[in-house]
C-alpha cells in the first residue's frame, strides 16, 4: 500500500498481534496454497488477467490468487461436507497481482462466518450470524481507527448486500 495509506508506525499492528486478535474473536485460522484455479479468479474476483504460473504444481492450481475468498469458500465447503453447522475461518496470506515493475505481493486478511452467531449453548438462543456480527468483529480489529462502511458491489458477494470498508477514508476491504 502507498505510504500515505499506512497508519503511523506507532499505530501499526503486527501480523502476529492481528492473528491473535482474530482468533480471540472465535475464528479458526486456515493456511492454504497461493496457487488457485483460474476459474476461482474469474468467479470470486472478476479477474480476467491473473498471474499465470508457467509450471503449476497441479492442473487446477494454475494461477496465483489475488484474493483469499476462494480458499475460504473452499474450506467452508469442506466443513459443510463434514456436517459442521457453525464455521468461522480466517486466513492471513499473500495475494498477487500484475504491477508496472512485474508483480505485486500483498499480505491480506480474509475471514468468513457461517451458521450460528455464537457456539451452541444452553443459555443462549440460536440465531444465525449476520452482517452486524461480522461488522462488529471488523470494528473491534481496527479500533481505535475510524471506520466507515459504504454500499458497494463485489463479484464474490451478494448484490445489494455488500459493503466496502473504509479506514481513515481509504478503502481497506469488503464485507
Amino acid at each position: 500500500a502507498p505510504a500515505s495509506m499506512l497508519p503511523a508506525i506507532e499505530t501499526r499492528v503486527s501480523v502476529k498481534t492481528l492473528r491473535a486478535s482474530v482468533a480471540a474473536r472465535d475464528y479458526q485460522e486456515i493456511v492454504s496454497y497461493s496457487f488457485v484455479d483460474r476459474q476461482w479468479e474469474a468467479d470470486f474476483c472478476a479477474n480476467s488477467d491473473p498471474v499465470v504460473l508457467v509450471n503449476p504444481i497441479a492442473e487446477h492450481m494454475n494461477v496465483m490468487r489475488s484474493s483469499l475468498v476462494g480458499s475460504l469458500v473452499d474450506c467452508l465447503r469442506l466443513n459443510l461436507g463434514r456436517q459442521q453447522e457453525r464455521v468461522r475461518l480466517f486466513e492471513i496470506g499473500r495475494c498477487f497481482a500484475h504491477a508496472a515493475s512485474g508483480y505485486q505481493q500483498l499480505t491480506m486478511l480474509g475471514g468468513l462466518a457461517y451458521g450460528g452467531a455464537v457456539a451452541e449453548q444452553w443459555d443462549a438462543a440460536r440465531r444465525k450470524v449476520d452482517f452486524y456480527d461480522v461488522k462488529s468483529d471488523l470494528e473491534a480489529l481496527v479500533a481505535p481507527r475510524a471506520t466507515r462502511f459504504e454500499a458497494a458491489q463485489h463479484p464474490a458477494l451478494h448484490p445489494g448486500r455488500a459493503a466496502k470498508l473504509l479506514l481513515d477514508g481509504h478503502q481497506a476491504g469488503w464485507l
Side-chain angles (χ1 to χ4, degrees):
S4 63
M5 290 181 59
L6 296 174
I9 194 78
E10 56 275 349
T11 61
R12 290 186 194 167
V13 175
S14 71
V15 171
K16 181 179 178 182
T17 301
L18 185 59
R19 180 176 281 119
S21 297
V22 179
R25 298 200 65 82
D26 203 22
Y27 286 79
Q28 300 294 312
E29 184 174 17
I30 68 166
V31 178
S32 61
Y33 286 109
S34 296
F35 318 120
V36 298
D37 191 327
R38 179 186 286 268
Q39 193 61 48
W40 284 11
E41 283 296 300
D43 293 343
F44 294 121
C45 307
N47 184 0
S48 60
D49 187 28
V51 175
V52 178
L53 295 167
V54 175
N55 189 15
I57 63 172
E59 185 178 333
H60 67 282
M61 302 172 97
N62 51 8
V63 299
M64 301 298 286
R65 66 183 176 193
S66 64
S67 169
L68 300 171
V69 174
S71 302
L72 290 164
V73 170
D74 190 49
C75 194
L76 172 65
R77 182 186 60 80
L78 290 169
N79 275 274
L80 294 176
R82 288 170 176 75
Q83 310 302 314
Q84 296 299 309
E85 294 181 9
R86 181 175 185 266
V87 180
R88 294 170 72 90
L89 306 169
F90 81 95
E91 182 172 16
I92 298 175
R94 296 224 185 248
C95 295
F96 304 83
H98 294 285
S101 62
Y103 301 102
Q104 177 181 24
Q105 293 184 50
L106 298 171
T107 300
M108 295 188 177
L109 164 67
L112 181 144
Y114 174 89
V118 295
E120 189 172 346
Q121 50 189 310
W122 66 272
D123 68 341
R126 291 182 87 173
R127 72 172 179 82
K128 297 274 188 197
V129 67
D130 63 19
F131 174 89
Y132 297 101
D133 294 316
V134 178
K135 181 178 179 260
S136 71
D137 290 339
L138 282 171
E139 289 172 332
L141 290 174
V142 300
R145 295 180 65 194
T147 58
R148 195 171 80 227
F149 296 87
E150 291 180 358
Q153 298 294 322
H154 188 279
L157 302 174
H158 191 286
R161 294 186 181 179
K164 61 183 172 181
L165 165 65
L166 300 166
L167 282 178
D168 302 325
H170 300 283
Q171 184 173 343
W174 297 93
L175 173 62

